[in-house]
Amino acid sequence: MPNDLSPTARALRALEVLQARPGTTAGELAARLGVTERAARRYVGILREAGIPVESARGPYGGYRLGRGTRLPPVHFTQSEALGLVMAVLAGRPAADGADDLVGTALGKVVKALPESVGRQAALLREYAAAAPDPYAVRPDPAVTGELVAAVAARRRVSVTYRGESGDEWEAEVDPWSVVVRHGRWYLLCHSHRAGAIRTYRVDRVRAVRPTAHAFAPPEDLDPVAVLAENLGLGWAFPTRVVFAAPLTEVAPWIQPPMGRLEPSGDGCVLVGSTRNPAMYAQEWLARVPFAFRVEGGQELRAAVAELGARFTAAATDQP
């Protein structure tokens, strides 16, 4: 902590530490405040003089903790914390700079509640910083998202009403493993009992969530982000199969998980997966890979690659 803080400021910081970490010892409190243990005990005394019950216990499991029923003051932000909060909100949700946005109104209330010395720069940042909207970001219903997260935490199976890309709706019982945010979109990673397999559902397409009486246990050592990325490359309408002449170890850094599964094949490797957009697969993904490849399937991807190649060839000719 800065050395020029007043005893009152350090006492408030001590209160925050005890609130977040009950059982903090005098040594731990001193380390967090940047003072001696004797000084840390003095700040605990200041809190007690202010009427805040701070209990202490000796022994290996002892330390300081706030008494039961203690009513704590509002959350305190440093100027850096306030600026970081505004920056994080604007980076993740550019529309939050508008007064009619749900997150924007909540952020405005937080900024207005800050002391003038802390909130001045945060208010200026929110007013004058501009954020470009992400055209691919989709915001799900906060209530639906909250219900799914609660089910994940409780490890409770739920029944969801889901609307597919075509507009059709269906019911499915799922074991919700995790809610993952990826490139501005929210996904539910789950085991679908309807499909009998892992599924990734867009949370913005979940219309309703109903709890069931069934509990579940998620896979051990689950990496939700990795499993989601791998699963996004499977189950789409158009199959893909791309053969590379280079070894797998050289090609692998250029392959994103949604492109499919990369496997060794002779002296080279083969990429097997599926896509819903062959043109995007060819233009944005395959075109970036700096190795010779041959598209063996499917026909839609072969046609997209041929069209892209023809466009590039025409662009390099001397004739208008």
Side-chain angles (χ1 to χ4, degrees), residues 93 102 138-153 156 158-163 169-170 172 174 176 178-180 186-189 201-211:
R93 190 174 180 120
L102 181 64
V138 180
R139 309 301 177 190
D141 184 336
V144 169
T145 307
E147 291 175 348
L148 291 175
V149 170
V152 171
R156 183 68 57 183
V158 294
S159 176
V160 299
T161 301
Y162 191 76
R163 177 178 295 173
E169 290 190 3
W170 67 83
V174 302
S178 182
V179 173
V180 183
W186 293 65
Y187 296 91
L188 173 65
L189 178 66
Y201 293 145
R202 290 258 301 270
V203 177
D204 60 287
R205 293 179 180 166
V206 176
R207 317 313 297 173
V209 181
R210 291 169 296 280

Side-chain angles (χ1 to χ4, degrees), residues 16 74-83 85 110-111 113-115 117-119:
E16 293 180 356
V75 177
H76 294 278
F77 291 95
T78 65
Q79 188 172 83
S80 296
E81 290 172 340
L83 290 173
L85 176 63
V110 172
V111 172
L114 295 173
S117 60
V118 174

Side-chain angles (χ1 to χ4, degrees), residues 114-241:
L114 295 173
E116 174 67 17
S117 60
V118 174
R120 185 187 308 109
Q121 286 193 1
L124 291 174
L125 175 64
R126 182 169 184 256
E127 182 177 357
Y128 292 104
D134 183 353
Y136 302 105
V138 180
R139 309 301 177 190
D141 184 336
V144 169
T145 307
E147 291 175 348
L148 291 175
V149 170
V152 171
R155 297 187 175 184
R156 183 68 57 183
R157 184 183 305 173
V158 294
S159 176
V160 299
T161 301
Y162 191 76
R163 177 178 295 173
E165 189 173 8
S166 64
D168 297 333
E169 290 190 3
W170 67 83
E171 305 283 333
E173 283 198 357
V174 302
D175 295 340
W177 291 351
S178 182
V179 173
V180 183
V181 184
R182 186 177 188 275
H183 300 324
R185 291 188 175 179
W186 293 65
Y187 296 91
L188 173 65
L189 178 66
C190 62
H191 173 80
S192 169
H193 293 272
R194 181 176 186 266
I198 298 174
R199 286 292 183 264
T200 53
Y201 293 145
R202 290 258 301 270
V203 177
D204 60 287
R205 293 179 180 166
V206 176
R207 317 313 297 173
V209 181
R210 291 169 296 280
T212 72
H214 303 287
F216 72 90
E220 295 184 4
D221 302 323
L222 174 68
D223 185 340
V225 176
V227 174
L228 174 79
E230 179 180 356
N231 196 256
L232 286 176
L234 304 174
W236 297 108
F238 305 108
T240 60
R241 181 179 175 84

